[in-house]
Amino acid sequence: DADVTQTPRNRITKTGKRIMLECSQTKGHDRMYWYRQDPGLGLRLIYYSFDVKDINKGEISDGYSVSRQAQAKFSLSLESAIPNQTALYFCATSEAGPGTDTQYFGPGTRLTVL
Amino acid sequence: QKEVEQDPGPLSVPEGAIVSLNCTYSNSAFQYFMWYRQYSRKGPELLMYTYSSGNKEDGRFTAQVDKSSKYISLFIRDSQPSDSATYLCALSGGYQKVTFGIGTKLQVIP
């Protein structure tokens, strides 16, 4: 079984709809991240969480919110989806501690907002 | 100026060629250097991880870091069609914030 799973894998929705993307991990890592990937722009950090009670905004958090339900679960919500949120979304995890910057990614969710 | 610059390609090479992929960066605080490989419609997977300057070899892959020039490279020897993917460099100062390059798309032609 995959260490980092994301659901759904694909989603098509309409402008104004609320969408939730879910991420679960079995790696036992404390730190979890949400990124979006766009052609020509690469991976951009939306939100990150260093533990269940610690949530931080990334470089592009406007229009998004997150919830860390447990060490293993981190959800990303689009409260009112808009077309420029069409992208590939990735969840990632990492261990805590110095020199542990390697991140482990899920398979991604392809989101299309019409 | 972006913190990390990476040529998006695409880069096409014949099977068996030596491939050189590169990133330059501007932030001298970066100490940890990583390369990720991303196949189409998949998440990035860690390929190489190095700390500070020097070389690190793993099979057909060699990662090279030159901190004085702020330049990192990934070499692939005897390239195979299965190496066709997008390669992302990733750099960190050790505080869990990782900055990614935009990725170079590589195609190895049989």
Side-chain angles (χ1 to χ4, degrees), chain B residues 24-101:
Chain B
T24 59
Y25 64 95
S26 58
N27 188 345
S28 58
F30 289 139
Q31 298 183 66
Y32 300 90
F33 306 91
M34 294 152 277
W35 286 94
Y36 285 80
R37 179 175 61 196
Q38 184 177 16
Y39 290 114
S40 181
R41 300 186 178 276
K42 303 285 188 182
E45 57 176 336
L46 182 69
L47 197 57
M48 298 286 282
Y49 175 91
T50 56
Y51 170 69
S52 198
S53 285
N55 292 357
K56 182 175 182 179
E57 189 173 319
D58 184 1
R60 296 184 295 110
F61 299 90
T62 299
Q64 190 172 81
V65 175
D66 182 348
K67 290 187 73 177
S68 62
S69 301
K70 297 189 178 65
Y71 191 86
I72 66 172
S73 301
L74 177 70
F75 298 97
I76 307 174
R77 291 186 300 279
D78 187 25
S79 56
Q80 302 295 309
S82 59
D83 295 327
S84 299
T86 297
Y87 291 80
L88 295 87
C89 61
L91 296 79
S92 169
Y95 298 100
Q96 297 283 315
K97 181 184 183 298
V98 179
T99 301
F100 291 87

XYZ file of all heavy atoms in Angstrom, chain B residues 24-101:
634
model
N 20.638 26.443 -10.780
C 21.417 27.478 -10.098
C 20.541 28.102 -9.023
O 19.306 28.065 -9.114
C 21.888 28.562 -11.073
O 20.740 29.166 -11.693
C 22.781 27.985 -12.148
N 21.165 28.656 -8.015
C 20.400 29.243 -6.924
C 21.094 30.492 -6.425
O 22.278 30.716 -6.678
C 20.183 28.221 -5.813
C 21.443 27.741 -5.127
C 21.885 28.347 -3.952
C 22.163 26.668 -5.621
C 23.011 27.889 -3.300
C 23.296 26.209 -4.981
C 23.715 26.818 -3.826
O 24.851 26.370 -3.180
N 20.336 31.297 -5.686
C 20.879 32.583 -5.228
C 21.040 32.653 -3.713
O 21.795 33.487 -3.218
C 19.977 33.718 -5.700
O 18.652 33.534 -5.223
N 20.358 31.790 -2.974
C 20.360 31.858 -1.512
C 21.511 31.028 -0.934
O 21.483 29.799 -0.982
C 19.013 31.347 -0.982
C 18.861 31.552 0.507
O 19.834 31.826 1.219
N 17.646 31.419 0.992
N 22.496 31.693 -0.374
C 23.666 30.986 0.150
C 23.347 30.174 1.412
O 24.182 29.418 1.898
C 24.806 31.972 0.430
O 24.373 32.950 1.352
N 22.148 30.335 1.967
C 21.767 29.585 3.169
C 21.393 28.135 2.859
O 21.284 27.310 3.765
C 20.600 30.266 3.876
N 21.179 27.814 1.604
C 20.822 26.436 1.260
C 21.968 25.499 1.615
O 23.120 25.727 1.263
C 20.495 26.289 -0.221
C 19.204 26.929 -0.640
C 19.100 27.635 -1.821
C 18.064 26.811 0.156
C 17.907 28.215 -2.218
C 16.859 27.393 -0.229
C 16.781 28.099 -1.415
N 21.633 24.415 2.327
C 22.645 23.440 2.732
C 22.302 22.028 2.282
O 23.169 21.163 2.226
C 22.753 23.415 4.253
C 23.184 24.716 4.892
C 23.313 24.526 6.390
O 24.164 23.783 6.871
N 22.445 25.194 7.132
N 21.012 21.790 2.028
C 20.570 20.452 1.656
C 20.049 20.499 0.229
O 19.276 21.398 -0.127
C 19.467 19.972 2.611
C 19.923 19.913 4.042
C 19.785 21.011 4.889
C 20.513 18.768 4.549
C 20.219 20.967 6.195
C 20.946 18.703 5.860
C 20.800 19.807 6.677
O 21.237 19.752 7.977
N 20.481 19.540 -0.559
C 20.192 19.574 -1.983
C 19.630 18.223 -2.410
O 20.208 17.176 -2.109
C 21.466 19.895 -2.769
C 22.134 21.156 -2.297
C 23.096 21.117 -1.307
C 21.767 22.385 -2.817
C 23.705 22.277 -0.844
C 22.359 23.549 -2.370
C 23.326 23.500 -1.383
N 18.502 18.278 -3.084
C 17.808 17.061 -3.451
C 17.434 17.081 -4.920
O 17.282 18.157 -5.520
C 16.526 16.919 -2.609
C 16.799 16.720 -1.128
S 15.469 17.349 -0.077
C 15.894 19.101 0.003
N 17.284 15.911 -5.470
C 16.724 15.735 -6.807
C 15.539 14.781 -6.709
O 15.636 13.720 -6.079
C 17.755 15.172 -7.775
C 18.779 16.186 -8.186
C 20.005 16.408 -7.632
C 18.650 17.139 -9.247
N 20.642 17.433 -8.267
C 19.844 17.903 -9.274
C 17.659 17.429 -10.188
C 20.058 18.927 -10.195
C 17.870 18.442 -11.098
C 19.051 19.175 -11.104
N 14.448 15.210 -7.325
C 13.251 14.389 -7.400
C 12.989 14.028 -8.856
O 13.252 14.823 -9.759
C 12.028 15.137 -6.857
C 11.975 15.257 -5.352
C 12.720 16.222 -4.677
C 11.175 14.403 -4.604
C 12.659 16.327 -3.290
C 11.109 14.503 -3.225
C 11.848 15.470 -2.578
O 11.788 15.574 -1.226
N 12.429 12.868 -9.058
C 11.993 12.423 -10.380
C 10.473 12.321 -10.357
O 9.889 11.772 -9.411
C 12.606 11.058 -10.713
C 12.203 10.470 -12.050
C 12.961 9.174 -12.309
N 12.672 8.178 -11.298
C 13.416 7.085 -11.105
N 14.502 6.868 -11.855
N 13.083 6.215 -10.162
N 9.851 12.856 -11.402
C 8.385 12.818 -11.482
C 7.967 12.265 -12.834
O 8.184 12.898 -13.870
C 7.800 14.226 -11.276
C 6.288 14.260 -11.253
C 5.724 15.642 -10.976
O 6.410 16.651 -11.088
N 4.465 15.688 -10.608
N 7.365 11.096 -12.800
C 6.790 10.533 -14.012
C 5.445 11.196 -14.266
O 4.795 11.707 -13.350
C 6.625 9.021 -13.877
C 7.922 8.257 -13.873
C 8.353 7.561 -12.743
C 8.738 8.225 -15.009
C 9.544 6.851 -12.735
C 9.931 7.529 -15.010
C 10.325 6.848 -13.865
O 11.512 6.147 -13.864
N 5.015 11.132 -15.528
C 3.755 11.758 -15.918
C 2.604 11.232 -15.069
O 2.467 10.029 -14.854
C 3.487 11.479 -17.399
O 2.291 12.094 -17.806
N 1.811 12.139 -14.542
C 0.624 11.815 -13.757
C 0.962 11.113 -12.434
O 0.127 10.388 -11.875
C -0.374 10.995 -14.561
C -0.876 11.713 -15.801
C -1.966 10.956 -16.499
N -2.460 11.682 -17.662
C -3.383 12.630 -17.612
N -3.920 12.951 -16.457
N -3.780 13.232 -18.703
N 2.179 11.320 -11.943
C 2.592 10.745 -10.658
C 3.153 11.843 -9.754
O 3.452 12.944 -10.216
C 3.683 9.677 -10.861
C 3.295 8.537 -11.778
C 2.355 7.585 -11.090
C 2.122 6.350 -11.957
N 1.164 5.425 -11.325
N 3.298 11.528 -8.471
C 3.933 12.461 -7.557
C 5.443 12.389 -7.659
O 6.005 11.381 -8.070
N 6.127 13.473 -7.291
C 7.599 13.449 -7.277
C 8.112 12.407 -6.282
O 7.537 12.242 -5.205
C 7.973 14.865 -6.826
C 6.759 15.702 -7.119
C 5.596 14.803 -6.900
N 9.194 11.732 -6.653
C 9.823 10.772 -5.750
C 11.283 11.156 -5.586
O 11.961 11.553 -6.539
C 9.694 9.342 -6.282
C 10.265 9.140 -7.663
C 10.216 7.701 -8.119
O 10.175 6.792 -7.264
O 10.243 7.473 -9.351
N 11.772 11.035 -4.362
C 13.142 11.413 -4.068
C 14.120 10.492 -4.788
O 14.015 9.269 -4.699
C 13.388 11.352 -2.564
C 14.792 11.773 -2.113
C 14.978 13.266 -2.336
C 15.005 11.419 -0.652
N 15.094 11.121 -5.460
C 16.108 10.366 -6.194
C 17.463 10.448 -5.499
O 18.135 9.444 -5.303
C 16.193 10.935 -7.610
C 16.849 10.134 -8.710
C 16.179 8.788 -8.874
C 16.790 10.919 -10.019
N 17.863 11.659 -5.141
C 19.177 11.864 -4.531
C 19.067 12.937 -3.453
O 18.293 13.887 -3.595
C 20.206 12.328 -5.568
C 20.468 11.353 -6.694
S 21.451 9.940 -6.156
C 23.093 10.671 -6.127
N 19.883 12.794 -2.424
C 19.906 13.758 -1.312
C 21.357 13.983 -0.938
O 22.089 13.036 -0.662
C 19.125 13.182 -0.140
C 19.162 14.000 1.126
C 18.190 14.960 1.367
C 20.143 13.808 2.090
C 18.195 15.703 2.531
C 20.166 14.554 3.254
C 19.188 15.495 3.476
O 19.198 16.230 4.629
N 21.798 15.241 -0.948
C 23.176 15.544 -0.564
C 23.201 16.719 0.404
O 22.311 17.576 0.398
C 24.038 15.890 -1.793
O 23.422 16.980 -2.494
C 24.188 14.719 -2.728
N 24.229 16.727 1.204
C 24.431 17.808 2.157
C 25.732 18.520 1.808
O 26.763 17.886 1.667
C 24.475 17.263 3.582
C 24.911 18.278 4.609
C 24.087 19.356 4.929
C 26.144 18.173 5.258
C 24.476 20.296 5.863
C 26.538 19.117 6.190
C 25.697 20.166 6.494
O 26.090 21.098 7.423
N 25.660 19.844 1.628
C 26.816 20.688 1.362
C 27.478 20.329 0.025
O 26.902 19.648 -0.818
C 27.803 20.596 2.526
O 28.695 21.690 2.475
N 28.686 20.773 -0.182
C 29.351 20.594 -1.472
C 29.898 19.183 -1.644
O 30.135 18.469 -0.678
C 30.512 21.587 -1.601
O 30.052 22.875 -1.853
N 30.102 18.814 -2.915
C 30.701 17.520 -3.193
C 29.851 16.694 -4.129
O 28.880 17.181 -4.699
N 30.250 15.450 -4.294
C 29.563 14.516 -5.187
C 28.969 13.371 -4.389
O 29.496 12.980 -3.346
C 30.550 13.924 -6.198
C 31.053 14.941 -7.195
O 30.633 16.088 -7.187
N 31.975 14.526 -8.026
N 27.886 12.836 -4.933
C 27.294 11.626 -4.360
C 26.831 10.748 -5.510
O 26.171 11.235 -6.429
C 26.117 11.964 -3.441
C 25.500 10.751 -2.778
C 24.427 11.170 -1.801
C 23.829 9.976 -1.099
N 22.787 10.399 -0.118
N 27.194 9.494 -5.463
C 26.867 8.581 -6.543
C 25.927 7.486 -6.059
O 26.064 6.973 -4.944
C 28.160 7.947 -7.077
C 27.994 7.142 -8.343
C 29.327 6.687 -8.901
O 30.290 7.478 -8.886
O 29.409 5.520 -9.318
N 24.964 7.137 -6.918
C 24.043 6.040 -6.611
C 23.697 5.360 -7.914
O 22.856 5.838 -8.668
C 22.791 6.573 -5.922
C 21.839 5.454 -5.494
O 22.163 4.263 -5.716
O 20.776 5.763 -4.923
N 24.388 4.263 -8.191
C 24.164 3.557 -9.454
C 24.525 4.416 -10.642
O 25.635 4.930 -10.732
N 23.586 4.624 -11.531
C 23.839 5.438 -12.730
C 23.708 6.933 -12.476
O 23.926 7.734 -13.384
C 22.862 5.024 -13.831
C 23.032 3.584 -14.312
C 22.095 3.272 -15.484
N 20.686 3.328 -15.131
C 19.839 4.269 -15.553
N 20.248 5.226 -16.360
N 18.564 4.236 -15.193
N 23.332 7.312 -11.283
C 23.076 8.718 -10.950
C 24.189 9.298 -10.088
O 24.651 8.658 -9.141
C 21.735 8.842 -10.207
C 20.558 8.369 -11.006
C 20.141 7.049 -10.958
C 19.858 9.259 -11.813
C 19.050 6.613 -11.699
C 18.765 8.831 -12.554
C 18.363 7.508 -12.504
N 24.587 10.527 -10.427
C 25.563 11.263 -9.629
C 25.039 12.663 -9.401
O 24.682 13.355 -10.351
C 26.930 11.341 -10.328
O 27.438 10.027 -10.524
C 27.913 12.143 -9.482
N 24.987 13.059 -8.147
C 24.600 14.427 -7.792
C 25.854 15.189 -7.418
O 26.725 14.683 -6.715
C 23.615 14.413 -6.631
N 25.924 16.410 -7.914
C 27.109 17.239 -7.682
C 26.654 18.599 -7.174
O 25.720 19.197 -7.707
C 27.863 17.382 -9.002
C 29.226 18.007 -8.908
C 29.933 17.919 -10.243
O 29.691 18.731 -11.137
N 30.791 16.925 -10.404
N 27.324 19.097 -6.133
C 26.987 20.393 -5.558
C 28.243 21.255 -5.516
O 29.278 20.824 -4.995
C 26.427 20.243 -4.131
C 26.189 21.616 -3.505
C 25.138 19.430 -4.136
N 28.140 22.457 -6.059
C 29.227 23.435 -5.987
C 28.660 24.680 -5.308
O 28.056 25.532 -5.955
C 29.741 23.756 -7.391
C 30.904 24.737 -7.371
O 31.167 25.337 -6.306
O 31.548 24.909 -8.414
N 28.852 24.760 -4.002
C 28.267 25.874 -3.255
C 28.938 27.192 -3.601
O 28.309 28.244 -3.534
C 28.355 25.601 -1.757
C 27.423 24.490 -1.281
C 27.427 24.372 0.226
C 26.684 25.508 0.883
N 26.617 25.374 2.341
N 30.204 27.161 -3.987
C 30.891 28.426 -4.306
C 30.287 29.070 -5.549
O 30.226 30.292 -5.669
C 32.389 28.185 -4.499
O 32.615 27.305 -5.594
N 29.818 28.259 -6.479
C 29.191 28.756 -7.699
C 27.669 28.742 -7.613
O 27.003 29.191 -8.556
C 29.620 27.905 -8.907
O 31.011 27.925 -9.071
N 27.141 28.221 -6.525
C 25.684 28.084 -6.342
C 25.085 27.324 -7.530
O 24.146 27.796 -8.204
C 25.017 29.449 -6.155
C 25.482 30.179 -4.900
C 24.634 31.426 -4.659
C 25.028 32.149 -3.391
N 26.389 32.701 -3.436
N 25.608 26.138 -7.735
C 25.272 25.362 -8.921
C 25.198 23.903 -8.521
O 26.113 23.385 -7.879
C 26.390 25.564 -9.946
C 26.122 25.064 -11.334
C 25.450 25.856 -12.259
C 26.576 23.805 -11.737
C 25.226 25.409 -13.546
C 26.350 23.352 -13.013
C 25.685 24.157 -13.927
O 25.467 23.713 -15.203
N 24.085 23.241 -8.880
C 23.968 21.820 -8.592
C 23.627 21.075 -9.877
O 22.989 21.635 -10.780
C 22.927 21.512 -7.497
C 21.497 21.858 -7.951
C 23.262 22.273 -6.224
C 20.453 21.379 -6.972
N 24.086 19.840 -9.941
C 23.899 19.042 -11.150
C 23.480 17.622 -10.806
O 23.818 17.113 -9.729
C 25.201 18.976 -11.955
O 25.646 20.252 -12.326
N 22.777 17.015 -11.733
C 22.466 15.589 -11.672
C 22.905 14.987 -12.997
O 22.492 15.451 -14.060
C 20.969 15.348 -11.463
C 20.538 13.880 -11.463
C 21.047 13.185 -10.189
C 19.023 13.752 -11.565
N 23.778 13.978 -12.907
C 24.235 13.280 -14.102
C 23.604 11.886 -14.139
O 23.544 11.192 -13.119
C 25.760 13.147 -14.108
C 26.469 14.466 -14.133
C 26.940 15.037 -12.957
C 26.656 15.163 -15.326
C 27.587 16.261 -12.959
C 27.302 16.388 -15.343
C 27.762 16.932 -14.152
N 23.147 11.500 -15.312
C 22.611 10.160 -15.516
C 23.471 9.490 -16.579
O 23.554 9.965 -17.723
C 21.136 10.187 -15.981
C 20.279 11.036 -15.040
C 20.592 8.760 -16.064
C 18.841 11.227 -15.525
N 24.119 8.405 -16.189
C 24.941 7.647 -17.150
C 24.099 6.571 -17.806
O 23.143 6.064 -17.206
C 26.119 6.992 -16.425
C 27.158 7.946 -15.917
C 28.348 7.172 -15.345
N 27.936 6.315 -14.244
C 27.749 6.740 -13.012
N 27.911 8.018 -12.713
N 27.377 5.898 -12.057
N 24.494 6.220 -19.046
C 23.806 5.133 -19.764
C 22.287 5.320 -19.667
O 21.555 4.437 -19.181
C 24.220 3.779 -19.177
C 23.693 2.602 -19.979
O 23.436 2.774 -21.188
O 23.519 1.510 -19.395
N 21.806 6.447 -20.098
C 20.391 6.769 -19.945
C 19.504 5.740 -20.650
O 19.857 5.194 -21.711
C 20.114 8.177 -20.465
O 20.530 8.301 -21.813
N 18.359 5.492 -20.046
C 17.402 4.509 -20.526
C 16.057 5.179 -20.816
O 15.730 6.195 -20.200
C 17.209 3.424 -19.462
C 18.481 2.703 -19.059
C 19.063 1.916 -20.212
O 18.355 1.129 -20.856
N 20.340 2.108 -20.479
N 15.257 4.597 -21.699
C 13.914 5.172 -21.928
C 13.120 5.304 -20.638
O 12.312 6.225 -20.496
C 13.280 4.171 -22.898
C 14.443 3.621 -23.660
C 15.560 3.529 -22.656
N 13.355 4.420 -19.682
C 12.636 4.494 -18.405
C 13.053 5.693 -17.562
O 12.394 6.005 -16.562
C 12.848 3.208 -17.601
O 14.233 3.016 -17.350
N 14.127 6.377 -17.954
C 14.534 7.604 -17.266
C 13.737 8.811 -17.748
O 13.870 9.910 -17.194
C 16.029 7.885 -17.498
C 16.930 6.828 -16.883
O 16.569 6.268 -15.817
O 18.002 6.555 -17.463
N 12.934 8.635 -18.778
C 12.116 9.733 -19.291
C 11.136 10.183 -18.213
O 10.275 9.404 -17.778
C 11.360 9.301 -20.554
O 12.258 8.940 -21.586
N 11.281 11.420 -17.792
C 10.498 11.954 -16.675
C 10.857 13.432 -16.539
O 11.700 13.945 -17.266
C 10.819 11.208 -15.377
N 10.232 14.078 -15.592
C 10.618 15.442 -15.223
C 11.457 15.367 -13.957
O 11.072 14.675 -13.001
C 9.390 16.322 -15.007
O 8.668 16.436 -16.246
C 9.793 17.720 -14.545
N 12.582 16.073 -13.954
C 13.506 16.055 -12.811
C 13.483 17.428 -12.135
O 13.720 18.449 -12.784
C 14.913 15.707 -13.279
C 15.001 14.268 -13.738
C 14.561 13.894 -15.004
C 15.474 13.272 -12.883
C 14.600 12.561 -15.413
C 15.522 11.948 -13.284
C 15.081 11.602 -14.550
O 15.101 10.290 -14.947
N 13.174 17.414 -10.851
C 13.078 18.650 -10.089
C 14.236 18.727 -9.087
O 14.474 17.762 -8.347
C 11.772 18.720 -9.293
C 10.451 18.775 -10.051
C 9.954 17.387 -10.380
C 9.402 19.495 -9.220
N 14.920 19.860 -9.074
C 15.865 20.071 -7.994
C 15.097 20.677 -6.816
O 14.056 21.317 -6.999
C 17.021 20.966 -8.417
S 16.573 22.628 -8.937
N 15.595 20.431 -5.614
C 14.956 20.946 -4.405
C 16.044 21.322 -3.419
O 16.990 20.555 -3.218
C 14.014 19.901 -3.804
N 15.936 22.490 -2.825
C 16.985 23.004 -1.956
C 16.373 23.459 -0.643
O 15.249 23.962 -0.608
C 17.701 24.180 -2.616
C 18.467 23.895 -3.915
C 17.548 23.814 -5.133
C 19.530 24.954 -4.136
N 17.150 23.312 0.432
C 16.642 23.672 1.748
C 17.759 24.219 2.625
O 18.914 23.819 2.480
C 16.019 22.451 2.409
O 15.743 22.697 3.760
N 17.385 25.114 3.525
C 18.344 25.636 4.489
C 18.357 24.846 5.777
O 19.045 25.201 6.726
N 17.571 23.782 5.832
C 17.560 22.948 7.020
C 16.451 23.276 7.995
O 16.430 22.780 9.108
N 15.526 24.109 7.610
C 14.421 24.476 8.492
C 13.089 24.032 7.908
O 12.075 24.660 8.142
C 14.440 25.978 8.752
C 15.697 26.414 9.447
C 16.741 26.991 8.738
C 15.857 26.211 10.818
C 17.905 27.366 9.386
C 17.019 26.586 11.462
C 18.040 27.163 10.742
O 19.193 27.529 11.370
N 13.136 22.951 7.132
C 11.939 22.325 6.599
C 11.257 23.083 5.477
O 10.289 22.616 4.924
C 10.914 22.044 7.714
C 11.406 21.072 8.752
C 11.352 19.636 8.268
O 10.371 19.223 7.690
N 12.419 18.877 8.487
N 11.712 24.282 5.155
C 11.145 24.962 3.992
C 11.994 24.566 2.791
O 13.184 24.860 2.739
C 11.158 26.474 4.165
C 10.551 27.200 2.954
C 10.645 28.701 3.087
C 9.977 29.415 1.917
N 10.616 29.087 0.642
N 11.373 23.898 1.860
C 12.064 23.409 0.683
C 11.636 24.231 -0.520
O 10.444 24.464 -0.727
C 11.742 21.918 0.438
C 12.446 21.412 -0.812
C 12.170 21.088 1.648
N 12.603 24.678 -1.298
C 12.324 25.435 -2.518
C 12.617 24.532 -3.712
O 13.720 23.984 -3.821
C 13.198 26.697 -2.587
O 12.934 27.506 -1.434
C 12.862 27.499 -3.842
N 11.629 24.390 -4.573
C 11.746 23.501 -5.731
C 12.016 24.286 -7.004
O 11.496 25.395 -7.192
C 10.451 22.703 -5.927
C 10.189 21.673 -4.868
C 9.526 22.014 -3.699
C 10.603 20.368 -5.046
C 9.283 21.070 -2.712
C 10.361 19.406 -4.078
C 9.703 19.765 -2.909
N 12.815 23.716 -7.902
C 12.902 24.218 -9.254
C 11.652 23.818 -10.022
O 10.862 22.990 -9.557
